[in-house]
Amino acid sequence: QAIKHLEQEKKEMNELQYGQEYLGLFLEELRQFFPDELIESSCIKKRPGAIIKGKHFLGGDIARLGNDETTFEILTREENNDIRQVENIAKKKRLTTETEADILSLEKIYNFRGIGIDAGAGSLGVGIFDRLMQNSGTRYKTMAMNNREISIDSEGKKKQRIFKEDLYDNLKGMMERGEIKLLDDNEVKTSFKS
C-alpha cells in the first residue's frame, strides 16, 4: 500500500516537491546549478600576494540593510586569456553610501580597468551606479549590468528574460572548459552551492 502511495505521489508531484517531501532533500540541494565536482575543480586559486594596478575588473552585487550580502568580485585576465578571481569580499547591512565608499577605496587599491554594477531597474545598484558615473575617477570605467532585459522571441514578440540566468550559464560553461579559475575559499564554494 505504501509503495503504491509513493508511486502515485511521484506522478503527481514535480521532482523538487517529491525530493523535498519524501527523500528528505533540502531544496538547495535539488536546485543546485553548479555541481560539486565542478565547484571543486574550478575553485583552486589562492589570493595573490601582490596587486598589480590597472589589471583588474570589479563586479558588484549590491544589497543594503536586509539579510542579503553586498558582494565584490575582483577578477583579472591571465596571459593565456583565462580569467582568474583574485578576491571575494562580502559585507552585510551596509548603507549605499558605505558601499560607494567601499568601491572607491577598492578603486584606489586596484585602479580597475572596469567596474560592473548590478543596476537593473529597481535595484539598489542604480543609485551607486549614478554616483560612480558622477565621479571623474570612475565615470569611464563603470557599466550597468542589468539582471533583466527585453528580448525578441522567434515570433517577433517582445518578452522579458532573466539576464542573470544567461550569466550563470556562461559562467558554468567557462568553468567546464577551464577558462576561469576561482578562489579556493569556503565562502566562494558555499555561494556556488546555493
Side-chain angles (χ1 to χ4, degrees):
Q1 185 76 346
I3 293 175
K4 285 184 180 183
H5 174 72
L6 286 176
E7 288 174 357
Q8 184 62 34
E9 289 289 286
K10 193 170 189 175
K11 288 177 187 175
E12 293 176 6
M13 294 179 165
N14 66 38
E15 184 180 355
L16 291 175
Q17 292 168 330
Y18 186 82
Q20 190 172 22
E21 183 72 24
Y22 292 103
L23 301 177
L25 299 175
F26 292 105
L27 190 58
E28 292 80 20
E29 292 173 12
L30 293 167
R31 288 187 161 170
Q32 185 174 325
F33 183 75
F34 297 95
D36 288 338
E37 304 80 36
L38 184 59
I39 295 168
E40 289 301 321
S41 67
S42 299
C43 294
I44 58 172
K45 290 292 187 176
K46 302 291 181 206
R47 286 174 170 83
I51 296 169
I52 301 171
K53 289 187 171 202
K55 295 186 66 92
H56 299 85
F57 297 87
L58 172 69
D61 189 12
I62 312 302
R64 196 166 175 265
L65 299 176
N67 290 327
D68 288 341
E69 290 182 326
T70 292
T71 64
F72 301 116
E73 306 305 328
I74 301 173
L75 308 164
T76 190
R77 186 174 298 277
E78 296 187 317
E79 289 180 16
N80 64 359
N81 278 333
D82 287 351
I83 298 189
R84 176 182 178 173
Q85 181 184 32
V86 297
E87 189 56 82
N88 162 264
I89 301 167
K91 296 188 175 194
K92 276 192 152 190
K93 308 234 182 262
R94 306 287 287 170
L95 297 172
T96 54
T97 52
E98 293 173 306
T99 300
E100 178 188 355
D102 291 337
I103 292 169
L104 294 175
S105 293
L106 290 169
E107 166 63 14
K108 285 180 184 174
I109 295 168
Y110 287 92
N111 185 23
F112 293 114
R113 292 181 66 189
I115 300 172
I117 301 295
D118 180 2
S123 79
L124 294 170
V126 172
I128 292 173
F129 173 78
D130 290 346
R131 298 280 300 154
L132 292 174
M133 292 303 288
Q134 292 175 344
N135 183 309
S136 62
T138 55
R139 174 181 306 138
Y140 298 108
K141 55 177 81 176
T142 302
M143 66 177 169
M145 298 179 65
N146 298 329
N147 282 343
R148 298 177 182 264
E149 75 176 17
I150 302 297
S151 62
I152 307 296
D153 67 13
S154 60
E155 298 171 8
K157 296 178 185 173
K158 286 185 179 181
K159 67 176 187 169
Q160 190 171 35
R161 65 186 176 98
I162 304 299
F163 188 60
K164 191 175 268 189
E165 289 173 2
D166 294 337
L167 293 173
Y168 289 155
D169 285 337
N170 187 46
L171 176 58
K172 186 177 184 183
M174 291 177 72
M175 291 167 73
E176 290 169 344
R177 293 185 301 273
E179 296 172 354
I180 187 165
K181 304 294 187 238
L182 304 165
L183 288 174
D184 182 7
D185 180 283
N186 287 334
E187 284 187 29
V188 172
K189 291 176 183 180
T190 300
S191 176
F192 276 106
K193 289 175 188 258
S194 65

mmCIF file of all heavy atoms in Angstrom, residues 110-151:
data_model
loop_
_atom_site.group_PDB
_atom_site.id
_atom_site.type_symbol
_atom_site.label_atom_id
_atom_site.label_comp_id
_atom_site.label_asym_id
_atom_site.label_seq_id
_atom_site.Cartn_x
_atom_site.Cartn_y
_atom_site.Cartn_z
ATOM 1 N N TYR A 110 43.246 49.080 -6.575
ATOM 2 C CA TYR A 110 43.390 48.279 -7.791
ATOM 3 C C TYR A 110 43.482 49.088 -9.085
ATOM 4 O O TYR A 110 43.977 48.588 -10.084
ATOM 5 C CB TYR A 110 42.211 47.303 -7.928
ATOM 6 C CG TYR A 110 42.264 46.152 -6.958
ATOM 7 C CD1 TYR A 110 41.628 46.225 -5.724
ATOM 8 C CD2 TYR A 110 42.938 44.984 -7.274
ATOM 9 C CE1 TYR A 110 41.661 45.160 -4.836
ATOM 10 C CE2 TYR A 110 42.980 43.917 -6.402
ATOM 11 C CZ TYR A 110 42.342 44.012 -5.177
ATOM 12 O OH TYR A 110 42.384 42.961 -4.299
ATOM 13 N N ASN A 111 42.957 50.317 -9.105
ATOM 14 C CA ASN A 111 42.845 51.098 -10.346
ATOM 15 C C ASN A 111 42.219 50.218 -11.434
ATOM 16 O O ASN A 111 42.841 49.854 -12.427
ATOM 17 C CB ASN A 111 44.198 51.637 -10.798
ATOM 18 C CG ASN A 111 44.070 52.548 -12.004
ATOM 19 O OD1 ASN A 111 43.005 53.113 -12.254
ATOM 20 N ND2 ASN A 111 45.149 52.681 -12.761
ATOM 21 N N PHE A 112 40.947 49.860 -11.238
ATOM 22 C CA PHE A 112 40.249 48.895 -12.082
ATOM 23 C C PHE A 112 40.224 49.300 -13.547
ATOM 24 O O PHE A 112 40.147 50.476 -13.881
ATOM 25 C CB PHE A 112 38.804 48.719 -11.602
ATOM 26 C CG PHE A 112 38.698 48.071 -10.257
ATOM 27 C CD1 PHE A 112 38.200 48.771 -9.169
ATOM 28 C CD2 PHE A 112 39.093 46.756 -10.077
ATOM 29 C CE1 PHE A 112 38.094 48.174 -7.927
ATOM 30 C CE2 PHE A 112 39.000 46.155 -8.838
ATOM 31 C CZ PHE A 112 38.500 46.864 -7.757
ATOM 32 N N ARG A 113 40.244 48.320 -14.406
ATOM 33 C CA ARG A 113 40.032 48.536 -15.846
ATOM 34 C C ARG A 113 38.551 48.691 -16.131
ATOM 35 O O ARG A 113 38.163 49.336 -17.095
ATOM 36 C CB ARG A 113 40.595 47.364 -16.640
ATOM 37 C CG ARG A 113 42.111 47.296 -16.570
ATOM 38 C CD ARG A 113 42.661 46.163 -17.366
ATOM 39 N NE ARG A 113 42.405 46.395 -18.778
ATOM 40 C CZ ARG A 113 42.616 45.500 -19.726
ATOM 41 N NH1 ARG A 113 43.090 44.315 -19.406
ATOM 42 N NH2 ARG A 113 42.362 45.774 -20.984
ATOM 43 N N GLY A 114 37.714 48.054 -15.320
ATOM 44 C CA GLY A 114 36.274 48.149 -15.481
ATOM 45 C C GLY A 114 35.567 47.854 -14.172
ATOM 46 O O GLY A 114 36.066 47.084 -13.355
ATOM 47 N N ILE A 115 34.404 48.484 -13.983
ATOM 48 C CA ILE A 115 33.591 48.281 -12.792
ATOM 49 C C ILE A 115 32.175 47.967 -13.269
ATOM 50 O O ILE A 115 31.540 48.804 -13.921
ATOM 51 C CB ILE A 115 33.571 49.535 -11.888
ATOM 52 C CG1 ILE A 115 34.983 49.889 -11.426
ATOM 53 C CG2 ILE A 115 32.628 49.328 -10.702
ATOM 54 C CD1 ILE A 115 35.076 51.230 -10.690
ATOM 55 N N GLY A 116 31.693 46.785 -12.977
ATOM 56 C CA GLY A 116 30.332 46.401 -13.343
ATOM 57 C C GLY A 116 29.454 46.390 -12.113
ATOM 58 O O GLY A 116 29.779 45.754 -11.115
ATOM 59 N N ILE A 117 28.346 47.117 -12.178
ATOM 60 C CA ILE A 117 27.422 47.225 -11.051
ATOM 61 C C ILE A 117 26.072 46.658 -11.462
ATOM 62 O O ILE A 117 25.536 47.021 -12.508
ATOM 63 C CB ILE A 117 27.249 48.700 -10.611
ATOM 64 C CG1 ILE A 117 28.591 49.314 -10.207
ATOM 65 C CG2 ILE A 117 26.226 48.826 -9.490
ATOM 66 C CD1 ILE A 117 29.227 48.695 -8.982
ATOM 67 N N ASP A 118 25.515 45.784 -10.629
ATOM 68 C CA ASP A 118 24.167 45.284 -10.860
ATOM 69 C C ASP A 118 23.220 46.469 -10.680
ATOM 70 O O ASP A 118 22.927 46.884 -9.572
ATOM 71 C CB ASP A 118 23.839 44.164 -9.873
ATOM 72 C CG ASP A 118 22.445 43.597 -10.061
ATOM 73 O OD1 ASP A 118 21.731 44.034 -10.990
ATOM 74 O OD2 ASP A 118 22.058 42.722 -9.277
ATOM 75 N N ALA A 119 22.781 47.036 -11.796
ATOM 76 C CA ALA A 119 21.989 48.270 -11.753
ATOM 77 C C ALA A 119 20.742 48.150 -12.609
ATOM 78 O O ALA A 119 20.404 49.039 -13.378
ATOM 79 C CB ALA A 119 22.846 49.452 -12.207
ATOM 80 N N GLY A 120 20.033 47.032 -12.478
ATOM 81 C CA GLY A 120 18.772 46.873 -13.194
ATOM 82 C C GLY A 120 17.705 47.759 -12.596
ATOM 83 O O GLY A 120 17.841 48.273 -11.480
ATOM 84 N N ALA A 121 16.643 47.952 -13.326
ATOM 85 C CA ALA A 121 15.548 48.811 -12.857
ATOM 86 C C ALA A 121 15.067 48.344 -11.491
ATOM 87 O O ALA A 121 14.774 47.178 -11.282
ATOM 88 C CB ALA A 121 14.407 48.786 -13.861
ATOM 89 N N GLY A 122 15.010 49.274 -10.565
ATOM 90 C CA GLY A 122 14.527 48.965 -9.232
ATOM 91 C C GLY A 122 15.554 48.362 -8.298
ATOM 92 O O GLY A 122 15.264 48.092 -7.143
ATOM 93 N N SER A 123 16.771 48.132 -8.757
ATOM 94 C CA SER A 123 17.775 47.526 -7.875
ATOM 95 C C SER A 123 18.512 48.610 -7.099
ATOM 96 O O SER A 123 18.535 49.781 -7.475
ATOM 97 C CB SER A 123 18.759 46.674 -8.676
ATOM 98 O OG SER A 123 19.719 47.491 -9.311
ATOM 99 N N LEU A 124 19.114 48.218 -6.009
ATOM 100 C CA LEU A 124 19.866 49.155 -5.175
ATOM 101 C C LEU A 124 21.104 49.685 -5.879
ATOM 102 O O LEU A 124 21.609 50.742 -5.541
ATOM 103 C CB LEU A 124 20.284 48.465 -3.876
ATOM 104 C CG LEU A 124 19.140 48.085 -2.952
ATOM 105 C CD1 LEU A 124 19.648 47.196 -1.840
ATOM 106 C CD2 LEU A 124 18.465 49.312 -2.401
ATOM 107 N N GLY A 125 21.579 48.956 -6.867
ATOM 108 C CA GLY A 125 22.786 49.370 -7.570
ATOM 109 C C GLY A 125 22.612 50.612 -8.423
ATOM 110 O O GLY A 125 23.596 51.256 -8.784
ATOM 111 N N VAL A 126 21.372 50.977 -8.758
ATOM 112 C CA VAL A 126 21.132 52.130 -9.623
ATOM 113 C C VAL A 126 21.713 53.404 -9.015
ATOM 114 O O VAL A 126 22.418 54.164 -9.681
ATOM 115 C CB VAL A 126 19.620 52.297 -9.924
ATOM 116 C CG1 VAL A 126 19.339 53.597 -10.649
ATOM 117 C CG2 VAL A 126 19.112 51.128 -10.736
ATOM 118 N N GLY A 127 21.442 53.636 -7.753
ATOM 119 C CA GLY A 127 21.952 54.844 -7.096
ATOM 120 C C GLY A 127 23.471 54.873 -7.041
ATOM 121 O O GLY A 127 24.088 55.918 -7.280
ATOM 122 N N ILE A 128 24.071 53.742 -6.740
ATOM 123 C CA ILE A 128 25.534 53.679 -6.690
ATOM 124 C C ILE A 128 26.114 53.861 -8.083
ATOM 125 O O ILE A 128 27.096 54.575 -8.267
ATOM 126 C CB ILE A 128 25.992 52.366 -6.036
ATOM 127 C CG1 ILE A 128 25.601 52.392 -4.560
ATOM 128 C CG2 ILE A 128 27.486 52.144 -6.208
ATOM 129 C CD1 ILE A 128 25.834 51.126 -3.814
ATOM 130 N N PHE A 129 25.493 53.247 -9.081
ATOM 131 C CA PHE A 129 25.932 53.429 -10.463
ATOM 132 C C PHE A 129 25.901 54.915 -10.831
ATOM 133 O O PHE A 129 26.866 55.443 -11.399
ATOM 134 C CB PHE A 129 25.040 52.622 -11.414
ATOM 135 C CG PHE A 129 25.315 52.885 -12.866
ATOM 136 C CD1 PHE A 129 26.400 52.302 -13.495
ATOM 137 C CD2 PHE A 129 24.496 53.742 -13.598
ATOM 138 C CE1 PHE A 129 26.665 52.552 -14.837
ATOM 139 C CE2 PHE A 129 24.755 53.997 -14.931
ATOM 140 C CZ PHE A 129 25.834 53.404 -15.552
ATOM 141 N N ASP A 130 24.801 55.590 -10.508
ATOM 142 C CA ASP A 130 24.689 57.023 -10.819
ATOM 143 C C ASP A 130 25.798 57.828 -10.156
ATOM 144 O O ASP A 130 26.399 58.708 -10.774
ATOM 145 C CB ASP A 130 23.321 57.562 -10.376
ATOM 146 C CG ASP A 130 22.175 57.052 -11.231
ATOM 147 O OD1 ASP A 130 22.431 56.496 -12.322
ATOM 148 O OD2 ASP A 130 21.014 57.206 -10.802
ATOM 149 N N ARG A 131 26.096 57.519 -8.909
ATOM 150 C CA ARG A 131 27.159 58.242 -8.189
ATOM 151 C C ARG A 131 28.536 57.965 -8.809
ATOM 152 O O ARG A 131 29.353 58.874 -8.946
ATOM 153 C CB ARG A 131 27.155 57.855 -6.710
ATOM 154 C CG ARG A 131 25.891 58.204 -5.975
ATOM 155 C CD ARG A 131 25.797 59.622 -5.551
ATOM 156 N NE ARG A 131 26.913 59.905 -4.666
ATOM 157 C CZ ARG A 131 27.432 61.105 -4.505
ATOM 158 N NH1 ARG A 131 26.948 62.124 -5.152
ATOM 159 N NH2 ARG A 131 28.437 61.293 -3.684
ATOM 160 N N LEU A 132 28.779 56.721 -9.205
ATOM 161 C CA LEU A 132 30.059 56.400 -9.834
ATOM 162 C C LEU A 132 30.190 57.082 -11.195
ATOM 163 O O LEU A 132 31.298 57.430 -11.609
ATOM 164 C CB LEU A 132 30.223 54.882 -9.983
ATOM 165 C CG LEU A 132 30.374 54.093 -8.677
ATOM 166 C CD1 LEU A 132 30.384 52.600 -8.953
ATOM 167 C CD2 LEU A 132 31.609 54.513 -7.905
ATOM 168 N N MET A 133 29.066 57.292 -11.867
ATOM 169 C CA MET A 133 29.097 57.994 -13.153
ATOM 170 C C MET A 133 29.367 59.491 -12.969
ATOM 171 O O MET A 133 29.810 60.165 -13.893
ATOM 172 C CB MET A 133 27.780 57.782 -13.914
ATOM 173 C CG MET A 133 27.586 56.346 -14.387
ATOM 174 S SD MET A 133 28.923 55.729 -15.434
ATOM 175 C CE MET A 133 28.626 56.645 -16.929
ATOM 176 N N GLN A 134 29.127 60.020 -11.778
ATOM 177 C CA GLN A 134 29.414 61.428 -11.487
ATOM 178 C C GLN A 134 30.855 61.638 -11.043
ATOM 179 O O GLN A 134 31.344 62.754 -11.017
ATOM 180 C CB GLN A 134 28.474 61.953 -10.399
ATOM 181 C CG GLN A 134 27.039 62.052 -10.847
ATOM 182 C CD GLN A 134 26.117 62.468 -9.716
ATOM 183 O OE1 GLN A 134 26.471 62.411 -8.548
ATOM 184 N NE2 GLN A 134 24.916 62.892 -10.068
ATOM 185 N N ASN A 135 31.535 60.566 -10.698
ATOM 186 C CA ASN A 135 32.904 60.639 -10.193
ATOM 187 C C ASN A 135 33.871 60.581 -11.378
ATOM 188 O O ASN A 135 33.854 59.630 -12.165
ATOM 189 C CB ASN A 135 33.139 59.472 -9.229
ATOM 190 C CG ASN A 135 34.499 59.483 -8.598
ATOM 191 O OD1 ASN A 135 35.517 59.591 -9.273
ATOM 192 N ND2 ASN A 135 34.516 59.348 -7.286
ATOM 193 N N SER A 136 34.740 61.576 -11.492
ATOM 194 C CA SER A 136 35.655 61.626 -12.643
ATOM 195 C C SER A 136 36.620 60.437 -12.667
ATOM 196 O O SER A 136 37.093 60.046 -13.737
ATOM 197 C CB SER A 136 36.434 62.941 -12.647
ATOM 198 O OG SER A 136 37.229 63.042 -11.481
ATOM 199 N N GLY A 137 36.911 59.831 -11.528
ATOM 200 C CA GLY A 137 37.828 58.691 -11.483
ATOM 201 C C GLY A 137 37.198 57.366 -11.892
ATOM 202 O O GLY A 137 37.912 56.422 -12.241
ATOM 203 N N THR A 138 35.874 57.275 -11.846
ATOM 204 C CA THR A 138 35.202 56.010 -12.165
ATOM 205 C C THR A 138 34.226 56.118 -13.341
ATOM 206 O O THR A 138 33.742 55.097 -13.834
ATOM 207 C CB THR A 138 34.437 55.469 -10.939
ATOM 208 O OG1 THR A 138 33.526 56.478 -10.477
ATOM 209 C CG2 THR A 138 35.388 55.091 -9.821
ATOM 210 N N ARG A 139 33.968 57.319 -13.805
ATOM 211 C CA ARG A 139 32.954 57.563 -14.846
ATOM 212 C C ARG A 139 33.159 56.717 -16.093
ATOM 213 O O ARG A 139 32.231 56.119 -16.616
ATOM 214 C CB ARG A 139 32.968 59.043 -15.222
ATOM 215 C CG ARG A 139 32.058 59.394 -16.390
ATOM 216 C CD ARG A 139 32.129 60.862 -16.739
ATOM 217 N NE ARG A 139 31.869 61.663 -15.556
ATOM 218 C CZ ARG A 139 32.553 62.759 -15.228
ATOM 219 N NH1 ARG A 139 33.518 63.183 -16.012
ATOM 220 N NH2 ARG A 139 32.264 63.429 -14.148
ATOM 221 N N TYR A 140 34.370 56.647 -16.593
ATOM 222 C CA TYR A 140 34.614 55.990 -17.884
ATOM 223 C C TYR A 140 34.892 54.494 -17.770
ATOM 224 O O TYR A 140 35.107 53.834 -18.779
ATOM 225 C CB TYR A 140 35.753 56.698 -18.619
ATOM 226 C CG TYR A 140 35.398 58.136 -18.924
ATOM 227 C CD1 TYR A 140 36.008 59.181 -18.236
ATOM 228 C CD2 TYR A 140 34.427 58.441 -19.868
ATOM 229 C CE1 TYR A 140 35.661 60.500 -18.495
ATOM 230 C CE2 TYR A 140 34.072 59.760 -20.132
ATOM 231 C CZ TYR A 140 34.691 60.781 -19.445
ATOM 232 O OH TYR A 140 34.335 62.076 -19.694
ATOM 233 N N LYS A 141 34.881 53.967 -16.568
ATOM 234 C CA LYS A 141 35.124 52.533 -16.416
ATOM 235 C C LYS A 141 33.956 51.795 -15.787
ATOM 236 O O LYS A 141 34.015 50.600 -15.600
ATOM 237 C CB LYS A 141 36.413 52.284 -15.631
ATOM 238 C CG LYS A 141 36.498 52.954 -14.293
ATOM 239 C CD LYS A 141 37.779 52.595 -13.542
ATOM 240 C CE LYS A 141 38.947 53.415 -14.007
ATOM 241 N NZ LYS A 141 40.163 53.154 -13.226
ATOM 242 N N THR A 142 32.870 52.499 -15.478
ATOM 243 C CA THR A 142 31.715 51.903 -14.818
ATOM 244 C C THR A 142 30.637 51.565 -15.833
ATOM 245 O O THR A 142 30.334 52.357 -16.715
ATOM 246 C CB THR A 142 31.150 52.867 -13.755
ATOM 247 O OG1 THR A 142 32.176 53.164 -12.802
ATOM 248 C CG2 THR A 142 29.975 52.254 -13.025
ATOM 249 N N MET A 143 30.072 50.370 -15.683
ATOM 250 C CA MET A 143 28.965 49.995 -16.566
ATOM 251 C C MET A 143 27.880 49.295 -15.759
ATOM 252 O O MET A 143 28.162 48.612 -14.767
ATOM 253 C CB MET A 143 29.436 49.110 -17.706
ATOM 254 C CG MET A 143 29.925 47.779 -17.303
ATOM 255 S SD MET A 143 30.353 46.826 -18.774
ATOM 256 C CE MET A 143 31.199 45.479 -18.019
ATOM 257 N N ALA A 144 26.635 49.483 -16.197
ATOM 258 C CA ALA A 144 25.493 48.834 -15.547
ATOM 259 C C ALA A 144 25.362 47.422 -16.092
ATOM 260 O O ALA A 144 25.457 47.193 -17.294
ATOM 261 C CB ALA A 144 24.222 49.622 -15.826
ATOM 262 N N MET A 145 25.170 46.493 -15.201
ATOM 263 C CA MET A 145 24.918 45.104 -15.586
ATOM 264 C C MET A 145 23.516 44.782 -15.097
ATOM 265 O O MET A 145 23.313 44.565 -13.906
ATOM 266 C CB MET A 145 25.960 44.189 -14.958
ATOM 267 C CG MET A 145 27.364 44.505 -15.422
ATOM 268 S SD MET A 145 28.607 43.463 -14.670
ATOM 269 C CE MET A 145 28.146 41.878 -15.332
ATOM 270 N N ASN A 146 22.566 44.789 -16.011
ATOM 271 C CA ASN A 146 21.171 44.597 -15.646
ATOM 272 C C ASN A 146 20.803 43.129 -15.580
ATOM 273 O O ASN A 146 21.169 42.356 -16.452
ATOM 274 C CB ASN A 146 20.264 45.307 -16.655
ATOM 275 C CG ASN A 146 20.508 46.799 -16.673
ATOM 276 O OD1 ASN A 146 20.861 47.393 -15.666
ATOM 277 N ND2 ASN A 146 20.339 47.401 -17.825
ATOM 278 N N ASN A 147 20.018 42.774 -14.553
ATOM 279 C CA ASN A 147 19.551 41.395 -14.403
ATOM 280 C C ASN A 147 18.447 41.053 -15.383
ATOM 281 O O ASN A 147 18.180 39.902 -15.651
ATOM 282 C CB ASN A 147 19.004 41.164 -12.994
ATOM 283 C CG ASN A 147 20.107 40.980 -12.005
ATOM 284 O OD1 ASN A 147 21.225 40.713 -12.383
ATOM 285 N ND2 ASN A 147 19.785 41.122 -10.743
ATOM 286 N N ARG A 148 17.764 42.062 -15.881
ATOM 287 C CA ARG A 148 16.644 41.810 -16.784
ATOM 288 C C ARG A 148 16.849 42.618 -18.055
ATOM 289 O O ARG A 148 17.368 43.712 -18.027
ATOM 290 C CB ARG A 148 15.322 42.233 -16.145
ATOM 291 C CG ARG A 148 14.993 41.470 -14.902
ATOM 292 C CD ARG A 148 13.708 42.024 -14.311
ATOM 293 N NE ARG A 148 13.400 41.331 -13.093
ATOM 294 C CZ ARG A 148 12.575 40.302 -13.013
ATOM 295 N NH1 ARG A 148 11.986 39.848 -14.075
ATOM 296 N NH2 ARG A 148 12.332 39.721 -11.864
ATOM 297 N N GLU A 149 16.407 42.063 -19.141
ATOM 298 C CA GLU A 149 16.420 42.825 -20.380
ATOM 299 C C GLU A 149 15.281 42.328 -21.245
ATOM 300 O O GLU A 149 14.776 41.225 -21.062
ATOM 301 C CB GLU A 149 17.758 42.730 -21.107
ATOM 302 C CG GLU A 149 18.005 41.437 -21.797
ATOM 303 C CD GLU A 149 19.300 41.432 -22.588
ATOM 304 O OE1 GLU A 149 20.167 42.278 -22.371
ATOM 305 O OE2 GLU A 149 19.433 40.545 -23.417
ATOM 306 N N ILE A 150 14.857 43.156 -22.155
ATOM 307 C CA ILE A 150 13.787 42.780 -23.068
ATOM 308 C C ILE A 150 14.428 42.204 -24.322
ATOM 309 O O ILE A 150 15.363 42.768 -24.873
ATOM 310 C CB ILE A 150 12.923 44.011 -23.433
ATOM 311 C CG1 ILE A 150 12.343 44.650 -22.165
ATOM 312 C CG2 ILE A 150 11.832 43.627 -24.417
ATOM 313 C CD1 ILE A 150 11.409 43.780 -21.377
ATOM 314 N N SER A 151 13.935 41.084 -24.758
ATOM 315 C CA SER A 151 14.450 40.491 -25.988
ATOM 316 C C SER A 151 13.268 40.173 -26.902
ATOM 317 O O SER A 151 12.117 40.223 -26.491
ATOM 318 C CB SER A 151 15.267 39.236 -25.685
ATOM 319 O OG SER A 151 14.460 38.257 -25.083
#
